[in-house]
Amino acid sequence: MEFTVERTLRRRGMRWTSWGLVVLAGSLVWLISSVGNAVPGAAFVGVFSALAVWHGWNELRKARRPFRLQIDGRGITLHDAALSWEEIDAVALWHDRAADSDTTPPDPRLMLWTAPGVTLPRKQDRTWDGRNRYTLVSCSDLDQSVSQLTTALARHGGAHFETAPRAVRPPIPVTVAGPELSVPGGERTFTADQGAGRKAVVWTILALLCSTVFVLLNLYLIRHPEKADYDSGAGIPLTVLALAALVFWIQVRSSYVRWRKPLRLRIGGAGIGMREVAGEERYFRWAQIATVSVGPQQYSSDSRPCLTVWPLPGTHAHDHPSHLSDGHRAYVLPGLDRLPGGLAAVVPVLRAYAGERYAETA
């Protein structure tokens, strides 16, 4: 399959250039109509519109440059080089983190690692592991979608298509075995804090009791002002009751949240559903999963075991990952030791359903 960037860059360049010219014309009219008066705002707008025109012109120039990316059974062909799969160590989609939680994560970049001794006629990326890495194209520039690129890489790249960090598992073909639909018992659900409902009731009773005593004591002091001698310590029990009621109501809210939306893990023939406390469930179908692993969370001092799902590139594109590792997105469910049975109960079920997608515990 062949991938190009001409239409996308041309459309983007025309958009930037058109808007820039319109705003530039407006700023010039503004300046001309204000002759003799200092109008710094018009000059400021004019400078930025000129920058927009310049950016659009650069996009149009890039669209005219030759670019070709063809992926087939023989290898990867570029406009300036051709590599067979034997000359390619790995190829992967490299994701970057979004600017903040309210913005959509940017499209990934297509990265290629050549085999030892093989180079491309372009500048190499700076790396720390000594491997020859090249950035071929940003997926946001492609005329085709990321899913089409992922499909071509999975179909022709085989084990050269790196879908998870090598520290988690070596590259394997995307068409791995699993899940095993014959696993007895059907879907398994593990839910933590099963006693949260009972705790919520207990904390509610204590909170109501403290609040009632606090209100009654206030009413008594209002009706008997001669007893309200705060210099003798009459305000101490009121303060203690108010603080106790506040703490108990906070515990009520916490227990209620853990009761209504507890830590939960679902594993079945369709996929994996993960939900943290008070969060929304993230569900991954097996066809969207590259690897699942169990072990301590990366880049964290917490050594408790976590379940990490590494989705295939191109899936869950608009969802913010828990963290990124070597450009690969990871979604983490912490606190597996809090689930009923802990690791001893979760890992056998996960291994049975995940098949070759399961990476041994780190």
Side-chain angles (χ1 to χ4, degrees):
M1 184 174 182
E2 187 167 322
F3 298 86
T4 57
V5 300
E6 183 178 356
R7 290 197 305 270
T8 300
L9 294 180
R10 184 185 300 164
R11 185 167 56 248
R12 189 186 304 167
M14 291 296 295
R15 184 168 60 248
W16 277 97
T17 304
S18 300
W19 281 107
L21 289 175
V22 170
V23 177
L24 182 60
S27 62
L28 290 176
V29 172
W30 187 2
L31 281 172
I32 294 173
S33 62
S34 304
V35 175
N37 299 324
V39 188
F44 186 76
V45 172
V47 170
F48 272 90
S49 58
L51 289 176
V53 173
W54 177 77
H55 178 73
W57 179 251
N58 279 341
E59 294 288 297
L60 291 174
R61 287 180 59 193
K62 287 195 296 183
R64 297 181 62 184
R65 296 174 186 171
F67 179 85
R68 183 189 181 199
L69 172 65
Q70 182 172 337
I71 302 172
D72 53 31
R74 295 185 298 272
I76 295 180
T77 302
L78 304 168
H79 60 278
D80 55 357
L83 295 175
S84 65
W85 290 114
E86 289 73 20
E87 296 175 302
I88 297 173
D89 180 37
V91 61
L93 296 184
W94 189 282
H95 292 266
D96 295 304
R97 187 173 295 278
D100 53 61
S101 59
D102 295 327
T103 58
T104 302
D107 289 331
R109 293 170 288 156
L110 179 61
M111 300 290 196
L112 183 142
W113 289 262
T114 57
V118 179
T119 58
L120 288 176
R122 61 182 64 196
K123 185 178 180 181
Q124 292 186 14
D125 297 337
R126 291 184 178 181
T127 59
W128 300 100
D129 55 7
R131 299 165 64 197
N132 297 333
R133 191 186 76 185
Y134 299 88
T135 299
L136 300 186
V137 66
S138 173
C139 292
S140 61
D141 293 338
L142 290 177
D143 298 328
Q144 297 80 5
S145 65
V146 176
S147 61
Q148 289 176 293
L149 178 61
T150 303
T151 300
L153 291 172
R155 179 184 304 165
H156 302 295
H160 296 281
F161 183 28
E162 189 176 285
T163 56
R166 295 198 173 196
V168 176
R169 70 173 308 155
I172 61 173
V174 172
T175 55
V176 296
E180 298 294 340
L181 300 179
S182 60
V183 176
E187 184 179 80
R188 293 287 304 276
T189 301
F190 302 90
T191 305
D193 299 316
Q194 293 182 344
R198 183 172 61 254
K199 293 179 182 178
V201 173
V202 173
W203 287 118
T204 301
I205 293 174
L206 292 174
L208 289 174
L209 180 61
C210 282
S211 300
T212 302
V213 174
F214 175 76
V215 171
L216 291 177
L217 184 57
N218 268 289
L219 292 176
Y220 174 78
L221 293 177
I222 292 174
R223 294 177 62 88
H224 301 83
E226 70 279 0
K227 300 291 185 180
D229 186 6
Y230 293 99
D231 294 334
S232 62
I236 294 178
L238 286 175
T239 303
V240 172
L241 286 170
L243 290 176
L246 177 62
V247 171
F248 289 153
W249 282 117
I250 292 175
Q251 292 294 333
V252 168
R253 183 182 182 280
S254 176
S255 299
Y256 179 79
V257 169
R258 293 179 179 275
W259 174 42
R260 298 300 299 175
K261 287 190 174 183
L263 181 72
R264 189 179 71 180
L265 171 65
R266 293 192 295 139
I267 307 174
I272 298 177
M274 307 189 307
R275 184 179 67 191
E276 298 187 36
V277 176
E280 298 298 327
E281 184 182 65
R282 286 173 167 170
Y283 196 83
F284 303 87
R285 293 183 290 106
W286 289 114
Q288 300 173 323
I289 297 176
T291 303
V292 291
S293 60
V294 176
Q297 184 175 352
Q298 292 186 337
Y299 314 113
S300 175
S301 59
D302 191 354
S303 61
R304 291 180 298 177
C306 303
L307 170 64
T308 304
V309 174
W310 307 85
L312 287 172
T315 62
H316 293 264
H318 302 289
D319 197 6
H320 290 263
S322 303
H323 67 259
L324 295 172
S325 177
D326 293 337
H328 297 282
R329 295 170 300 154
Y331 297 84
V332 179
L333 180 68
L336 287 188
D337 53 334
R338 290 175 47 197
L339 297 176
L343 287 180
V346 173
V347 170
V349 177
L350 185 62
R351 183 184 289 114
Y353 276 108
E356 295 181 20
R357 288 181 174 87
Y358 180 76
E360 291 297 329
T361 303

